[in-house]
Amino acid sequence: MRRVLSQFVRLLLLAVLLGGCGGRALAPVGVRGEPDLDRPSYHSVERGESLYSIAWKYGLDYQQLASWNGIGSPYTIYVNQRLRLRPAAPSARADSRPAPAPASRPAPAPERDIRVRSSPAPRAPTTAPDRYSYPDRVSTWRWPVQGRILRPFDPNSPGKKGITISGEKGEKIRAAAAGRIVYSGSGLVGYGRLIIVKHSEDYLSAYGHNDKLLVSEGDVVKAGQVLALMGSSGTSRTQLHFEIRRKGKPVDPLQYLPRRH
């Protein structure tokens, strides 16, 4: 009798569990808040890169990237430097027992070294000194060009996130706000000839697919100053790819740019 009753209770519990799930499999636990699994653990700095362009490439906040690697302002990095792209894992707990002291031996007499040691030449930094005083916030934004929007901002699309604006080859592209050029080059795949401007400690803007770059890394620019000429580098048609990022995360530029009438 007890065996029959026990089997009945188990069957009843199983039926309740299946009914609570509605016959559907339970959803797997998400990984929200975990680091991007597609991002490598390290990046080796190449010539022409800056801390800002590397952070932009991997969708990171430049300040976070600097913190992970112990790099302070002006965020100078060097060719072949190995940068950590994830926070360091907590170190294993140290063994509290003291290590045994090595047996003492008489130190050997130092050998005379008559070779001339030459110090290696210092590696050239890939970031210009930052002496620009950034505002706490960006008060106003302006359109970099006045063409029509070919592709709006889509937070769910893979790859680069921003808006695409039409225009004519050679059309002037202007800074959306005052700031300092922190990248000017063609090292980011998919952007063509690219300019990144730092406007404050939180905001950066990017201008891609240019035909000609008119500013260099380290230049200080005013709002509306010409940065480049529109082109089709890295794409099949003349256009401007424009992005705004806040603390490393893409935001919809239309939420910042003035409304057109």
Side-chain angles (χ1 to χ4, degrees):
M1 183 64 179
R2 290 181 178 178
R3 179 179 296 178
V4 173
L5 181 60
S6 177
Q7 291 178 347
F8 175 75
V9 171
R10 285 199 296 269
L11 290 173
L12 181 62
L13 290 175
L14 180 61
V16 170
L17 289 174
L18 291 176
C21 296
R24 296 173 295 178
L26 292 174
V29 177
V31 292
R32 185 175 300 172
E34 294 294 323
D36 184 358
L37 300 180
D38 294 332
R39 188 170 69 240
S41 298
Y42 293 91
H43 175 88
S44 182
V45 179
E46 298 179 1
R47 187 175 301 279
E49 290 184 320
S50 69
L51 185 85
Y52 298 92
S53 67
I54 295 170
W56 194 281
K57 177 179 180 179
Y58 294 107
L60 298 170
D61 179 8
Y62 71 93
Q63 296 178 91
Q64 187 179 51
L65 179 60
S67 175
W68 290 346
N69 292 276
I71 301 173
S73 179
Y75 309 117
T76 302
I77 58 176
Y78 299 89
V79 174
N80 297 326
Q81 183 176 355
R82 198 163 178 251
L83 297 181
R84 183 187 296 276
L85 300 179
R86 301 177 187 274
S91 58
R93 186 177 300 173
D95 193 343
S96 57
R97 294 173 298 176
S104 60
R105 295 180 181 178
E111 297 182 359
R112 185 179 180 186
D113 190 350
I114 60 174
R115 294 174 299 173
V116 177
R117 292 189 177 94
S118 58
S119 301
R123 295 171 294 176
T126 64
T127 304
D130 190 349
R131 299 185 181 91
Y132 181 69
S133 179
Y134 298 98
D136 294 332
R137 57 186 295 271
V138 181
S139 57
T140 58
W141 295 85
R142 59 176 297 163
W143 285 83
V145 291
Q146 293 299 320
R148 64 187 180 90
I149 297 177
L150 301 174
R151 190 182 67 182
F153 178 80
D154 182 0
N156 299 317
S157 69
K160 56 185 184 293
K161 295 178 174 65
I163 60 175
T164 302
I165 309 174
S166 68
E168 301 295 330
K169 183 176 180 179
E171 185 175 348
K172 295 178 179 179
I173 295 173
R174 301 178 183 274
R180 175 178 170 267
I181 307 300
V182 293
Y183 181 77
S184 179
S186 55
L188 272 70
V189 177
Y191 284 93
R193 297 184 182 92
L194 173 70
I195 288 174
I196 300 177
V197 182
K198 179 180 178 182
H199 304 289
S200 70
E201 295 302 329
D202 292 338
Y203 285 98
L204 302 173
S205 64
Y207 312 74
H209 304 312
N210 302 292
D211 180 61
K212 186 176 182 181
L213 306 179
L214 303 179
V215 289
S216 302
E217 210 169 293
D219 289 351
V220 174
V221 296
K222 299 178 180 179
Q225 182 173 332
V226 178
L227 305 177
L229 302 180
M230 186 179 287
S232 57
S233 60
T235 187
S236 59
R237 62 172 296 174
T238 299
Q239 61 185 32
L240 168 66
H241 176 77
F242 177 65
E243 290 187 37
I244 296 177
R245 294 195 184 185
R246 181 178 182 271
K247 295 184 177 180
K249 303 301 180 183
V251 294
D252 186 355
L254 297 184
Q255 299 297 320
Y256 296 84
L257 297 172
R259 181 170 300 189
R260 291 175 171 175
H261 300 289

